[in-house]
Amino acid sequence: MQTQSTPRQLEIEIEIDATRLIDELNTLATFSSIEPSPIGTAVTRVVFSPDDLRARAWLKSLAAAEGLSIREDAVGNTFFRWTGSEPGLPAIATGSHIDAIPHAGMYDGTVGVLGGLEAIRALKRSGLRPRRSIELVLLTSEEPTRFGIGCLGSRLMSGTLDAAHADELRGAQRGSEEETLAQVRAAAGFSGPLAGTRLPSGRYHAWVELHIEQGPLLEREGLRLGVVTAIAAPAGYRFTIEGLGGHAGALLMPDRRDALCAAAELILSIEKHALATGVIDTVATVGTCDVYPGAVNSVPSRVTLQVDIRDTDPTRRESVMQAVRRDVEAIGKRREVRIAEILVNADDPASCSPHIVEVIDTAGRAAGVAPKHMVSRAYHDSLFMARIAPIAMIFIPCRGGVSHRPDEYAAPGDIALGARVLAATLATLAAE
Ligand code: GLV
Ligand code: MN
Ligand code: MN
């Protein structure tokens, strides 16, 4: 990699077709179950659902129209390549995801995929002939909705998830636990051993992801562009609480071992210990609660909770979990319920490449905006791409810092700016 202190901007005219890019984002949002929402376009696009498959087919048609070559791996990660003049060199990659959690917005992930495609189109229009190939990557299941673990595609590509067992993954929520990844991906048309999804370190010279910030800092500071220097470390756990079920009228209160009441204590314990660090970087969420048998006149006998906890410091994150485990033991004894913990993932944070950060800085300043250096508290596929390539991310603001909600919104001008800075960054890196 070149180590010059100020990356040189290439002398090319980059014109982003903002109207087309926004139209495409709107079209992509229609590949979704339609959920009336008073606060915005509610998008739900769970991985390998019919909507996800229709969106993928549409995206492939757009990429084919640009003359990009298309490759899909066994888990549906999709690679759109613009071949450079020296195709043997490690390529430059950009991309993100198009799956969306239930009742989400229309910009999370999609800005990086369609913005990446528009960046490539703009570079083609500029007459650039890149030295390194430039690849747009659509990553499978960044969201944990379907299989209970986020960044499925990038975990497999980076060897973070054991390919030998990944096919046995199934969802944690009622209704999603029936089918395994093996069954779901086969039904979606993706076959072959998952081990083949692993990419060698050195495949990519650089990875750059464009994304909405999903937090309030850029907007609060009146800024239009961020460059990510580090990504916080997420962890996921499942707790299953087993108590005693029975008739809601006849089972006497002193005899109860109500699994949901125990779960309620556990949820509050998680909140209490996350707050107790006194550090704004510690966040913990219990995002799902599955109650069995789930009838108003039946005492809950089993509850499953999915817990998401993140921190910029994994040691502090683990100390929160230690405190929670002490409470788990006390709750279990006092309420006479069995509480089992399953670790889903406990990841390390990632650092971005100072060189790519500098290339983005230079591209931003050339576009008239100095990017703010910031930490990503949300996780992204970039967290795992960092294990096989130097990475960085470009952030654009989103209104009110809102994400994972139907009223998620990014301004067209900021989306176009992000795509333009991405294009300039890809061009610079591809020339190295
Ligand atoms: C990504 O969707 C995250 O939850 O950070
Ligand atoms: Mn998301
Ligand atoms: Mn995302």
Side-chain angles (χ1 to χ4, degrees):
M1 182 182 292
Q2 262 173 265
T3 53
Q4 75 267 32
S5 55
T6 307
R8 214 163 40 82
Q9 278 287 112
L10 298 184
E11 301 283 319
I12 50 171
E13 277 299 314
I14 297 173
E15 297 274 355
I16 296 297
D17 186 342
T19 307
R20 180 174 182 179
L21 176 51
I22 302 303
D23 279 354
E24 287 175 348
L25 281 162
N26 284 320
T27 302
L28 183 48
T30 65
F31 298 116
S32 161
S33 38
I34 305 299
E35 322 262 355
S37 159
I39 56 171
T41 310
V43 171
T44 299
R45 192 165 42 246
V46 176
V47 69
F48 298 146
S49 63
D51 285 316
D52 179 47
L53 297 178
R54 284 197 302 136
R56 286 165 180 263
W58 172 74
L59 202 61
K60 283 189 277 186
S61 73
L62 296 185
E66 298 308 318
L68 305 181
S69 66
I70 302 178
R71 176 176 83 83
E72 291 171 310
D73 72 12
V75 80
N77 291 319
T78 307
F79 305 80
F80 305 104
R81 179 170 279 231
W82 178 18
T83 304
S85 60
E86 295 188 41
L89 290 177
I92 308 302
T94 187
S96 198
H97 62 100
I98 61 164
D99 63 323
I101 66 165
H103 304 277
M106 55 174 273
Y107 300 94
D108 175 4
T110 56
V111 163
V113 174
L114 290 170
L117 179 61
E118 178 54 26
I120 289 176
R121 284 187 195 127
L123 292 177
K124 286 191 155 204
R125 284 194 293 269
S126 77
L128 180 80
R129 183 81 217 278
R131 179 168 175 250
R132 294 174 186 274
S133 299
I134 297 180
E135 202 164 82
L136 172 67
V137 188
L138 166 66
L139 290 147
T140 287
S141 198
E142 192 266 356
E143 302 291 6
T145 311
R146 181 67 189 80
F147 296 106
I149 186 165
C151 301
L152 183 60
S154 53
R155 280 179 195 273
L156 284 165
M157 275 167 65
S158 60
T160 310
L161 186 65
D162 180 6
H165 299 294
D167 257 338
E168 293 152 25
L169 281 172
R170 33 179 116 225
Q173 277 170 275
R174 198 130 39 108
S176 73
E177 74 275 56
E178 303 297 333
E179 290 179 304
T180 61
L181 172 58
Q183 291 163 324
V184 176
R185 74 183 174 96
F190 300 106
S191 55
L194 288 179
T197 58
R198 176 90 191 257
L199 291 185
S201 190
R203 169 68 62 95
Y204 294 128
H205 179 69
W207 163 270
V208 187
E209 182 172 359
L210 169 65
H211 207 282
I212 57 169
E213 181 199 344
Q214 303 185 286
L217 299 182
L218 288 172
E219 186 187 66
R220 254 182 219 166
E221 295 175 34
L223 300 172
R224 297 185 61 203
L225 204 61
V227 55
V228 172
T229 53
I231 305 174
Y237 302 86
R238 277 179 212 164
F239 284 97
T240 304
I241 299 119
E242 293 201 60
L244 177 72
H247 193 284
L251 186 54
L252 299 177
M253 293 307 282
D255 297 337
R256 290 201 183 193
R257 292 158 49 206
D258 185 321
L260 185 55
C261 290
E265 282 200 45
L266 175 50
I267 292 168
L268 292 178
S269 154
I270 291 165
E271 182 193 45
K272 179 178 76 188
H273 293 301
L275 280 168
T277 66
V279 177
I280 201 77
D281 289 334
T282 314
V283 287
T285 307
V286 180
T288 71
C289 175
D290 198 18
V291 181
Y292 182 87
V296 68
N297 56 352
S298 181
V299 178
S301 61
R302 189 176 68 239
V303 170
T304 306
L305 304 176
Q306 288 187 94
V307 180
D308 175 311
I309 168 164
R310 311 181 190 199
D311 206 309
T312 46
D313 176 356
T315 310
R316 190 168 50 215
R317 185 188 69 197
E318 181 51 29
S319 71
V320 171
M321 283 310 295
Q322 293 294 2
V324 168
R325 285 180 195 118
R326 286 193 289 277
D327 284 356
V328 161
E329 213 179 306
I331 297 165
K333 270 204 188 111
R334 186 161 30 77
R335 289 189 168 272
E336 295 182 56
V337 295
R338 273 217 329 263
I339 306 181
E341 174 191 327
I342 296 174
L343 170 69
V344 179
N345 60 290
D347 299 303
D348 288 330
S351 299
C352 295
S353 146
H355 174 63
I356 305 177
V357 166
E358 201 174 5
V359 173
I360 294 169
D361 252 337
T362 306
R365 281 197 301 272
V369 189
K372 174 185 170 66
H373 286 215
M374 55 200 307
V375 167
S376 172
R377 290 165 204 286
Y379 61 67
H380 302 281
D381 290 303
S382 295
L383 182 67
F384 300 99
M385 296 310 287
R387 301 186 181 195
I388 52 167
I391 65 131
M393 294 186 71
I394 300 167
F395 271 180
I396 56 166
C398 50
R399 187 177 58 199
V402 165
S403 186
H404 284 184
R405 268 178 26 195
D407 52 339
E408 181 181 85
Y409 176 77
D414 293 339
I415 295 172
L417 173 68
R420 180 169 165 199
V421 170
L422 175 63
T425 300
L426 297 176
T428 302
L429 293 168
E432 289 181 351

